Amino acid sequence: MSATGALLLLLMVVSCAADKTLGDDELLLHRVRVVADTKDLDASRLQPYVKQQAHGSLFSRKKVVYDSLLTQRTCTDMANAMQNMGYLDATVESQTHQKGRKMDVSYLLHPGEPYFIRDIDYDIQDERIAQLLQLDQPDNQVLKEGVRFSVDQLDQERKRITKLLNDQGYYKFHKDYITFSVDSMHGSRLLDVTMHLHPYFVHKDSAASPHPLYTIRRVSFVSGDDGKIHLREKVLRENTRIEEGKPYSSSDLQKTYNLFGRLAAVRYTGVKFTEVTDSSLLTPHSSLLDCQVQVSTGKPNSLSFQPEGTNTAGNLGAAASLTYENRNLFRGAETFSVQLRGAFEAITGLEGYQNEDYEEYSIESKLVFPRFILPFVSKNYRRRSTATSELSVSYNLQNRPEFQRRLFNAAWRYRWTDTPKHTNYRVDVIDLNYINMPWISATFKHDYLDSVSNRNAILRYNYEDLFIMKIGFSMSHAHGNNAYKLNVETAGNLLKATSLLLNKKQNDHGQYTLFGIAYAQYAKADFDFTHVHRFSPVNELVVHAGFGIAYPYGNSRVLPFEKRYFSGGANSVRGWNVRGLGPGKFRGSNGAIDFINQTGDMKLDLNAEYRTDLFWKLRGAFFIDAGNIWTLRAYDEQPGGQFRWNEFYKQIAVAYGLGVRLNFDYFVLRFDMGMKAINPAYETKEEHYAIIHPRLSRDFVFHFAVGLPF
């Protein structure tokens, strides 16, 4: 039996297992449909009101016994929901169809014609608030004449006005002070809406009065620990948006919580307001609040040890890291960390080399300031921003049988978040990388770097000393069902301009150098998009597209190895191993250097994944992946790898497969089984269209990863 046939048989057995455990008088709820008799209403909006969903996804083993009472409740709730949407004459009927031990239920929605708002009137029983709301911009208002009526709009307008007043000093105002009355005209679908804003009262039996307006009199700070606050006064003030002499604002209160919450040194923050009752301090129609901010800090120092296992192309190994962290270095919530890491891997299959193992040692240090460290920026701007400034320095030492490699990195960058727009930003002001190759095995050098018959320009470039000085900008946005990522970086332009300005001479390879070392020059851009379409709480379709392009120019003809793209693996086209696909229709034939040859200057990823709950913490997935990489220049070492407009679409690889995921909330263990469907690097027709001629030994790839692919 083929792999596809076995998979279908397995799914049939699992889907039929549920009805074997039914009682004598029980029916299995097999299918649920929600249908509207008009195109004006999206029936999927009523899906959450279904009290009983079908027995589950294709992979589910959970049974659902049909319950007629829940069907009746569903009809009632759906009718109420449509009436709240403005379909005041809406009704719902249910239809059932039994086949054997299974029951299908259809909910037929009859919304009728929607009602519209004809006129809006306001009854505001507080003169000061009435004057304030007169200044409110009409574009900000949720309720508008001529729009379709809905209860949700009324509630949104209550919340909007409540927030507006809470931000203008009305500390004790809440949405229950706002009510609505709705009048309809007989024989018409037009409604007159009146908003009532009631006066203030202490309790229901007290006399009505104007709503009190509160101003902040004093802001103080207290410790939640041992009586001493372990943060500087300046840091406390910078992260407190509540200011003395200004009206109370609920938005400023939330910003204060958010700002203290992002400080690594702070464990807990509490804000308490106390009304000033001393009549000698008060004026008519005004009230005062004292604000007390309680700050608790955790232990500043921590030491952690983390072991891990590694598997690189079948070579097993182990690694361990030791990290020291101080979360309040200068009593300003600055985070200082030092990480030591060591790794060992046993390498097999290498001949002609003295050692057969891989060793790596690294040290990385970071200092993160929870604010902008930037000259010529005003104090107010730094105070308003929620940025961090980061300085990092690292040194990495790699010893392989083929070579020894040393990497030094130093960087200064900024990160900040635009919370209302759900957007994160990062700017790499400067990122310096020095790559040093102190030793290369004579065997490796002879076979791949110096041999005239087998010389590889791409390989050789990446085994020379190199200096990379880059700047970059990245942005990520995630809101609702969509997520975007953008990254742009350039390297070498400032150094090239300096070289030309100082009239520097080029070396024998036509490159400008810094301290005698050639530097890279390139531009690179990456864009990612992900969309999630949820069919139900347990079923969703996720689509993803990723595109990246990088171009070496000026001082470089080849991209540095770390900046080149690769395809295949657990997060790309999953019918291929990592670095096993492309570029173009290039077919790797030398396992020792294919990790270099199977890289490119441009990448395209297209993915679709259907995810569903199984049982317990298990989730299942079916996926289809497509994509490849290409080079922008023609390289002798990568025949068929250059991007050409009239050829690239024929070189897009396609894969499909199944996945199982263990969701432990804090992390996800992922097991994906991919099969090649269309292989652009083929020798036979059967290999090209593997979906028609599947062969497990040739086309199957298993991936293990932590986290979702996109």
Side-chain angles (χ1 to χ4, degrees):
M1 182 183 293
S2 68
T4 305
L7 175 62
L8 292 175
L9 178 61
L10 174 63
L11 297 180
M12 291 174 62
V13 171
V14 172
S15 63
C16 294
D19 52 0
K20 291 183 179 181
T21 58
L22 291 171
D24 293 339
D25 299 327
E26 293 179 333
L27 297 175
L28 180 70
L29 184 58
H30 175 249
R31 182 180 292 113
V32 174
R33 297 173 64 241
V34 181
V35 183
D37 64 3
T38 175
K39 294 181 179 179
D40 292 339
L41 176 65
D42 182 4
S44 65
R45 294 178 61 186
L46 280 298
Q47 191 72 37
Y49 295 93
V50 177
K51 300 299 182 185
Q52 265 194 310
Q53 299 291 345
H55 74 271
S57 65
L58 185 63
F59 305 96
S60 178
R61 297 178 60 187
K62 180 181 179 182
K63 70 173 184 176
V64 175
V65 178
Y66 170 69
D67 188 331
S68 60
L69 292 178
L70 292 178
T71 300
Q72 294 176 15
R73 287 179 54 192
T74 297
C75 291
T76 302
D77 289 352
M78 284 183 169
N80 291 336
M82 287 190 290
Q83 291 166 9
N84 289 339
M85 293 177 186
Y87 298 97
L88 301 187
D89 304 320
T91 60
V92 180
E93 63 175 309
S94 63
Q95 293 182 351
T96 59
H97 176 71
Q98 181 179 347
K99 185 176 181 181
R101 304 293 302 277
K102 296 179 179 179
M103 178 68 81
D104 293 346
V105 180
S106 296
Y107 295 98
L108 305 181
L109 310 179
H110 306 295
E113 296 294 329
Y115 282 66
F116 292 84
I117 297 176
R118 186 187 70 165
D119 184 60
I120 303 174
D121 197 11
Y122 296 91
D123 172 29
I124 302 176
Q125 302 173 36
D126 188 305
E127 183 178 351
R128 190 162 50 183
I129 291 181
Q131 294 175 355
L132 178 63
L133 293 183
Q134 285 179 355
L135 302 176
D136 191 20
Q137 297 295 325
D139 291 342
N140 297 332
Q141 299 172 4
V142 177
L143 291 180
K144 300 179 186 295
E145 296 177 356
V147 302
R148 181 181 297 181
F149 171 81
S150 76
V151 173
D152 181 62
Q153 284 184 327
L154 301 184
D155 192 53
Q156 287 184 35
E157 184 71 354
R158 292 175 75 198
K159 292 178 180 178
R160 187 188 71 84
I161 292 177
T162 299
K163 184 179 185 305
L164 175 65
L165 296 178
N166 287 160
D167 285 345
Q168 296 294 326
Y170 290 94
Y171 169 66
K172 291 187 176 181
F173 190 91
H174 52 78
K175 67 177 185 178
D176 290 343
Y177 283 110
I178 299 176
T179 60
F180 292 91
S181 59
V182 180
D183 295 325
S184 61
M185 300 176 61
H186 181 70
S188 170
R189 296 193 309 278
L190 298 177
L191 302 174
D192 292 337
V193 178
T194 301
M195 187 193 83
H196 307 276
L197 195 151
H198 303 281
Y200 174 76
F201 49 86
V202 178
H203 50 79
K204 63 180 181 179
D205 297 327
S206 63
S209 63
H211 287 270
L213 183 65
Y214 286 86
T215 301
I216 304 298
R217 183 183 72 153
R218 181 183 297 117
V219 177
S220 60
F221 301 92
V222 296
S223 172
D225 302 317
D226 54 5
K228 179 181 179 182
I229 301 179
H230 301 282
L231 293 169
R232 299 194 306 272
E233 176 79 10
K234 179 181 178 182
V235 175
L236 296 173
R237 295 287 178 183
E238 284 181 346
N239 288 281
T240 302
R241 290 296 178 265
I242 303 164
E243 298 184 41
E244 297 173 353
K246 290 190 175 182
Y248 165 84
S249 169
S250 60
S251 293
D252 288 345
L253 172 61
Q254 187 58 51
K255 289 176 183 177
T256 299
Y257 276 117
N258 293 341
L259 288 171
F260 276 101
R262 73 189 184 97
L263 300 181
V266 175
R267 180 172 53 88
Y268 168 80
T269 306
V271 181
K272 178 182 177 181
F273 293 95
T274 304
E275 187 172 357
V276 177
T277 58
D278 188 346
S279 58
S280 64
L281 301 174
L282 303 176
T283 59
H285 308 299
S286 67
S287 302
L288 296 175
L289 289 175
D290 284 341
C291 174
Q292 185 182 80
V293 182
Q294 184 184 65
V295 180
S296 298
T297 55
K299 294 181 179 180
N301 299 305
S302 66
L303 190 66
S304 61
F305 175 77
Q306 181 177 354
E308 60 184 281
T310 61
N311 184 346
T312 306
N315 297 322
L316 300 178
S321 61
L322 181 67
T323 305
Y324 165 77
E325 187 174 69
N326 184 313
R327 291 177 288 273
N328 197 19
L329 185 63
F330 305 122
R331 294 184 62 241
E334 302 88 356
T335 301
F336 173 73
S337 63
V338 177
Q339 182 185 75
L340 301 174
R341 186 178 185 274
F344 174 85
E345 204 166 80
I347 299 178
T348 59
L350 283 180
E351 297 181 0
Y353 296 90
Q354 294 180 352
N355 301 315
E356 290 193 355
D357 56 50
Y358 165 70
E359 296 177 357
E360 179 181 353
Y361 306 95
S362 65
I363 179 171
E364 180 181 22
S365 180
K366 288 183 180 180
L367 178 58
V368 180
F369 300 88
R371 53 193 173 274
F372 259 131
I373 305 297
L374 189 66
F376 312 115
V377 173
S378 68
K379 177 182 178 181
N380 288 335
Y381 180 80
R382 285 199 299 267
R383 190 175 183 276
R384 291 196 307 269
S385 65
T386 56
T388 62
S389 306
E390 178 184 308
L391 173 66
S392 65
V393 180
S394 66
Y395 181 74
N396 182 276
L397 181 151
Q398 302 173 5
N399 291 336
R400 290 185 58 90
E402 308 98 324
F403 58 83
Q404 293 179 357
R405 199 163 185 250
R406 309 289 185 260
L407 292 88
F408 173 79
N409 170 265
W412 178 260
R413 59 179 58 95
Y414 300 108
R415 305 177 195 265
W416 70 96
T417 300
D418 188 340
T419 302
K421 296 182 179 179
H422 309 277
T423 306
N424 297 313
Y425 300 93
R426 166 176 156 171
V427 172
D428 294 318
V429 179
I430 188 168
D431 191 331
L432 304 174
N433 295 270
Y434 170 51
I435 303 170
N436 174 244
M437 305 294 297
W439 175 83
I440 298 177
S441 163
T443 303
F444 187 82
K445 190 175 181 181
H446 175 269
D447 291 346
Y448 302 112
L449 303 182
D450 295 338
S451 174
V452 177
S453 61
N454 195 29
R455 182 172 294 169
N456 188 312
I458 299 176
L459 191 70
R460 181 166 188 156
Y461 177 78
N462 286 283
Y463 286 88
E464 296 175 346
D465 292 353
L466 184 65
F467 193 84
I468 304 173
M469 177 177 162
K470 75 177 184 72
I471 59 174
F473 169 80
S474 65
M475 177 184 70
S476 63
H477 171 85
H479 184 56
N481 296 325
N482 298 314
Y484 309 87
K485 292 181 181 179
L486 172 68
N487 182 76
V488 179
E489 65 181 66
T490 63
N493 295 327
L494 181 60
L495 293 177
K496 181 69 174 291
T498 303
S499 297
L500 295 175
L501 185 64
L502 298 178
N503 200 24
K504 293 280 188 176
K505 293 184 179 180
Q506 297 173 317
N507 62 14
D508 295 339
H509 301 289
Q511 298 172 303
Y512 292 99
T513 62
L514 178 67
F515 306 122
I517 302 168
Y519 52 84
Q521 192 173 9
Y522 65 86
K524 184 179 183 181
D526 297 276
F527 178 77
D528 260 29
F529 167 73
T530 302
H531 173 75
V532 180
H533 181 79
R534 292 181 174 85
F535 300 100
S536 72
V538 297
N539 296 281
E540 64 185 22
L541 176 67
V542 184
V543 295
H544 166 260
F547 176 74
I549 186 169
Y551 184 69
Y553 60 92
N555 222 43
S556 300
R557 281 187 50 82
V558 179
L559 279 174
F561 176 72
E562 290 80 6
K563 301 300 177 181
R564 296 178 69 83
Y565 296 103
F566 63 86
S567 192
N571 300 317
S572 184
V573 186
R574 284 166 278 186
W576 279 260
N577 285 313
V578 62
R579 303 186 189 277
L581 173 61
K585 61 182 180 180
F586 172 78
R587 186 183 181 94
S589 59
N590 188 338
I593 60 172
D594 280 342
F595 71 97
I596 284 285
N597 285 336
Q598 297 200 257
T599 58
D601 308 320
M602 185 169 68
K603 180 177 183 177
L604 176 66
D605 269 336
L606 302 170
N607 314 88
E609 185 169 283
Y610 178 79
R611 299 169 182 169
T612 182
D613 280 0
L614 300 179
F615 54 91
W616 186 53
K617 296 184 179 294
L618 283 176
R619 300 204 76 197
F622 172 74
F623 58 83
I624 299 175
D625 300 328
N628 206 334
I629 55 173
W630 292 269
T631 63
L632 297 181
R633 289 191 173 104
Y635 297 105
D636 294 338
E637 300 81 7
Q638 299 169 305
Q642 187 180 20
F643 177 86
R644 299 182 184 277
W645 285 105
N646 61 342
E647 291 287 334
F648 85 95
Y649 61 92
K650 303 176 186 177
Q651 300 167 357
I652 294 178
V654 181
Y656 64 99
L658 291 174
V660 177
R661 289 83 193 273
L662 275 166
N663 187 351
F664 293 104
D665 297 330
Y666 295 104
F667 65 95
V668 176
L669 297 180
R670 176 161 54 96
F671 307 89
D672 285 340
M673 296 158 281
M675 289 283 291
K676 295 179 178 66
I678 300 177
N679 187 352
Y682 60 91
E683 292 183 339
T684 64
K685 184 177 181 180
E686 289 76 12
E687 191 178 9
H688 186 196
Y689 297 104
I691 190 171
I692 304 175
H693 310 279
R695 189 192 304 169
L696 283 176
S697 60
R698 180 194 64 199
D699 303 325
F700 177 79
V701 179
F702 175 78
H703 300 284
F704 168 72
V706 177
L708 295 174
F710 40 81

